[in-house]
Amino acid sequence: MSTPTQDPAHTNPSASNKKMLARWIASGILFFIVIFTLTWISIPQTPNPLANTLTHRMFFAALHIFSASLLLFLGFLAVGSTRWHLETADPTANPAISGEKASGMSIHNRVHGQFLSNTTEQFLMFATAALAASFFLSATGMKLLTVTTVVWIAGRFFFWGGYWYTAVKGLPTYPRAVGLATGLFCTIVMASIAAAGISLHFPLFEGLLQTTSATQTTCFGLLLAPTTGIQASNLIPLCFFSFLIMCMWGIAFFPKVSPPALAITIITTTGWGYLLLSGTIPLRF
């Protein structure tokens, strides 16, 4: 008499959870691609007048960074409003008196607090990458700043909604992975542009200070090409960024395989490898 087989999902809940998380991560990647494409198409493909000088490009980036920072204000306002209701109902819920009690009293307080904390971390990474990328973007490439900012903001709202969904349903917080992945991909896009620009122009960045209306571009017309032939070695930035990618592989596999980190590492490695192997970023010794 044969023994009935059991569903692996019931015998190993951890495996089932990992599969569910993988599906949410895949959904996050698809969500990013769809929103990115729709936003890119909706913005007219016209040269940006705020890309002629480095000052103009930094000003343009600052406007987008400010727009993204407004989500921090929303999160702070949501946390403050929740705390006000908690403390007026029970003065001992004040964090200065009993932080543990305050954190456990309201689902609103927990969700808004997590959103504000994570958005602060994500904003710091995205703002730094966007500002660094603006140094090297061409007039056409400046469109990426607008697109990634819009997508990043959309991802943050999805992240916020994902926390609400899981808190209300009492389920694992997988839906927030969609919003988290969306924001991370925007940061990766900007950071990759900055890394490519640094590697292209290192160690001579004087050309970036000049008017760029007639400057040649590279990397699908998104980056400013060096104005003069640079003979000096660019091994320092190339080795540094390659070392960071190697660290990402280590994080993805140790102490155990992490599907989210692995997906991000594969995408980053593929893009960086293409830039090097295609000659978009020349290797200068």
Side-chain angles (χ1 to χ4, degrees):
M1 183 176 180
S2 60
T3 303
T5 58
Q6 292 184 335
D7 186 355
H10 294 286
T11 59
N12 189 358
S14 177
S16 177
N17 290 337
K18 289 180 179 179
K19 291 180 180 179
M20 185 181 299
L21 178 58
R23 287 195 292 267
W24 278 108
I25 293 173
S27 300
I29 296 174
L30 180 62
F31 178 77
F32 168 81
I33 294 174
V34 171
I35 298 297
F36 188 96
T37 303
L38 292 177
T39 307
W40 182 274
I41 295 175
S42 64
I43 299 177
Q45 185 65 39
T46 55
N48 194 325
L50 290 180
N52 290 333
T53 66
L54 178 60
T55 302
H56 289 157
R57 295 194 297 276
M58 293 179 64
F59 173 76
F60 189 73
L63 295 179
H64 289 73
I65 292 173
F66 167 74
S67 299
S69 71
L70 293 179
L71 269 71
L72 297 177
F73 173 76
L74 286 181
F76 181 82
L77 188 64
V79 171
S81 176
T82 304
R83 288 282 176 85
W84 185 86
H85 287 293
L86 283 175
E87 295 176 23
T88 52
D90 182 2
T92 63
N94 190 311
I97 300 175
S98 178
E100 293 295 330
K101 185 176 182 180
S103 63
M105 283 188 63
S106 170
I107 186 175
H108 298 77
N109 190 42
R110 295 197 302 271
V111 171
H112 295 328
Q114 288 289 346
F115 169 77
L116 178 59
S117 175
N118 187 267
T119 300
T120 301
E121 298 168 357
Q122 288 265 0
F123 172 76
L124 179 61
M125 293 188 295
F126 176 73
T128 303
L131 182 61
S134 68
F135 299 163
F136 309 101
L137 286 172
S138 65
T140 302
M142 293 294 285
K143 183 177 178 180
L144 273 177
L145 272 174
T146 302
V147 174
T148 52
T149 301
V150 171
V151 176
W152 187 87
I153 292 174
R156 287 290 85 201
F157 278 110
F158 202 106
F159 180 88
W160 205 352
Y163 251 118
W164 272 115
Y165 172 81
T166 54
V168 172
K169 298 292 185 180
L171 299 173
T173 57
Y174 297 146
R176 67 183 173 87
V178 176
L180 184 66
T182 301
L184 282 177
F185 282 129
C186 291
T187 301
I188 289 174
V189 170
M190 290 289 98
S192 299
I193 290 174
I198 293 173
S199 301
L200 274 172
H201 292 266
F202 187 88
L204 303 176
F205 300 95
E206 290 81 357
L208 298 172
L209 302 176
Q210 303 172 3
T211 302
T212 61
S213 57
T215 301
Q216 294 183 347
T217 60
T218 184
C219 194
F220 307 104
L222 299 177
L223 294 179
L224 297 172
T227 55
T228 58
I230 301 177
Q231 302 299 325
S233 173
N234 62 348
L235 288 181
I236 292 179
L238 288 179
C239 291
F240 174 69
F241 296 130
S242 299
F243 172 74
L244 291 181
I245 292 178
M246 293 175 61
C247 292
M248 292 173 63
W249 280 103
I251 294 173
F253 280 97
F254 297 101
K256 294 182 179 180
V257 176
S258 172
L262 182 59
I264 294 174
T265 302
I266 291 175
I267 294 173
T268 305
T269 303
T270 302
W272 185 246
Y274 170 80
L275 292 176
L276 295 179
L277 296 177
S278 66
T280 303
I281 300 178
L283 182 61
R284 301 190 303 268
F285 293 94

